[in-house]
Amino acid sequence: MMAESDRQDLELVSNSAGKGQQAQYEQDGDIGCCGYVLMAFSYILVALFFPFSLCVTIKVVQEYERAVIFRLGRVLAGGAKGPGLFFILPCIDDFKKVDMRTLTYDVPPQEILTKDSVTVAVDAVIYIRIFDATMATVNVSDAYQSTRLLAATTLRNVLGTRNMSELLTDRDAISAMMQHQLDEATDPWGVKVERVEIKDVRLPIQLQRAMAAEAEAGREARAKIVAAEGEQKASRALKEAADVITESPAALQLRYLQTLNTIAAEKNSTIIFPLPIDLLSSFGSQKHDVTKF
């Protein structure tokens, strides 16, 4: 729905602009008395050499083309002709074909100094089409080449106001801004900029290494934090287990037996006899009494 509404708005704007431009051409398109005399001679020539003159007077343009006709150097009233057949007068009419299809152009890589003083190389691609063949022919010498040069300049101007991080993470907003600026600038030329895409942002090798080292340090720091949190949770679990075992002395003996079972399953040649902690405490107290004695 949004695309359809945008298309309708574009058609309304282009139609109004085309009508205003066409009214100006019609106002300034009077060829004068000499012109009408030459037109009469041309019609006479067409009539004298009929039907052979049809090979010169009838032209064809394809579905995706339009023909802008100039009569004695002035744009013919009625706008661009086509698609299909159209009629011209010999000797006084000339026409120029205009391709109305969407064309793609690569913007050459631009060395740009960003807002945070980082030099990067950026290249982009633009999608453009002509919506008014008369304006594209009369108002500018080469509409496509002019749009390409303007796109390179706009790319430098827009990216020069952004930080390097924004170039890497906010490409959609930058592309939309470039499209808006280019569309406004090329509207008098009859050119519609349909899409602008940033293809690649190339950073210096030293900067790439610095960013890789920073990212690696960040990953190591996060890994240490996760490990520390795991140790903290494990220590809390061990504390809770120790509290449970302290409340039941038999649980400690069961834990001894479970440990023996685990060790016996892994290393059969090793035999461990558990020695109660209370027995060691009694031996320690007897030795202390003998020393005092």
Side-chain angles (χ1 to χ4, degrees):
M1 295 296 295
M2 292 297 294
E4 185 66 26
S5 63
D6 293 341
R7 190 180 302 110
Q8 293 176 357
D9 294 340
L10 175 60
E11 290 178 356
L12 291 174
V13 172
S14 61
N15 290 335
S16 61
K19 290 179 180 178
Q21 195 77 15
Q22 186 63 36
Q24 181 182 359
Y25 295 148
E26 291 178 357
Q27 182 179 0
D28 299 336
D30 189 10
I31 59 177
C33 297
C34 294
Y36 288 115
V37 172
L38 293 176
M39 283 182 58
F41 279 114
S42 297
Y43 280 115
I44 293 173
L45 288 175
V46 172
L48 289 176
F49 292 97
F50 187 84
F52 301 103
S53 60
L54 296 179
C55 299
V56 180
T57 57
I58 295 180
K59 302 295 181 181
V60 180
V61 291
Q62 303 297 329
E63 179 69 28
Y64 54 85
E65 293 177 333
R66 298 294 184 272
V68 180
I69 301 176
F70 296 91
R71 179 161 293 172
L72 296 176
R74 296 180 180 271
V75 177
L76 190 64
K81 307 299 181 181
L85 298 173
F86 64 95
F87 180 83
I88 64 172
L89 293 177
C91 302
I92 65 172
D93 283 354
D94 189 14
F95 71 97
K96 180 179 180 181
K97 291 183 180 181
V98 179
D99 195 336
M100 307 294 288
R101 293 177 293 183
T102 299
L103 301 180
T104 305
Y105 289 109
D106 289 327
V107 180
Q110 304 291 318
E111 293 288 339
I112 299 171
L113 184 65
T114 61
K115 188 177 180 180
D116 50 356
S117 300
V118 178
T119 302
V120 295
V122 183
D123 54 352
V125 59
I126 58 174
Y127 299 84
I128 60 177
R129 67 178 178 87
I130 293 177
F131 67 87
D132 192 310
T134 304
M135 296 171 63
T137 304
V138 176
N139 294 350
V140 63
S141 175
D142 190 341
Y144 293 120
Q145 182 65 18
S146 301
T147 304
R148 292 179 63 183
L149 296 177
L150 183 61
T153 305
T154 305
L155 179 65
R156 298 176 65 91
N157 294 337
V158 171
L159 298 186
T161 60
R162 297 299 184 103
N163 295 325
M164 184 196 65
S165 58
E166 295 177 351
L167 297 184
L168 300 177
T169 60
D170 201 11
R171 294 189 180 184
D172 293 337
I174 296 175
S175 299
M177 180 183 296
M178 288 185 56
Q179 179 184 355
H180 178 69
Q181 294 185 6
L182 284 173
D183 199 21
E184 287 186 349
T186 58
D187 188 67
W189 302 342
V191 177
K192 169 65 179 175
V193 180
E194 294 184 340
R195 192 179 183 89
V196 177
E197 291 292 340
I198 297 177
K199 292 198 303 183
D200 190 19
V201 179
R202 291 186 293 275
L203 304 177
I205 302 299
Q206 296 82 359
L207 183 58
Q208 293 181 14
R209 293 175 180 174
M211 294 177 64
E214 181 181 359
E216 184 178 0
R219 288 193 296 269
E220 291 179 357
R222 289 192 294 270
K224 291 180 180 180
I225 292 174
V226 172
E229 291 177 352
E231 291 291 339
Q232 184 180 8
K233 293 179 180 179
S235 62
R236 290 177 181 176
L238 288 175
K239 180 179 179 298
E240 294 176 359
D243 294 338
V244 173
I245 292 176
T246 303
E247 295 176 357
S248 177
L252 183 60
Q253 298 297 329
L254 292 176
R255 184 59 181 166
Y256 281 158
L257 294 176
Q258 185 180 5
T259 305
L260 285 175
N261 186 22
T262 304
I263 295 175
E266 294 180 356
K267 298 181 180 180
N268 297 328
S269 61
T270 303
I271 300 176
I272 298 177
F273 293 96
L275 188 63
I277 303 299
D278 298 338
L279 183 60
L280 292 177
S281 301
S282 62
F283 278 124
S285 61
Q286 291 179 2
K287 182 177 179 181
H288 185 267
D289 295 339
V290 171
T291 304
K292 289 176 64 178
F293 181 75

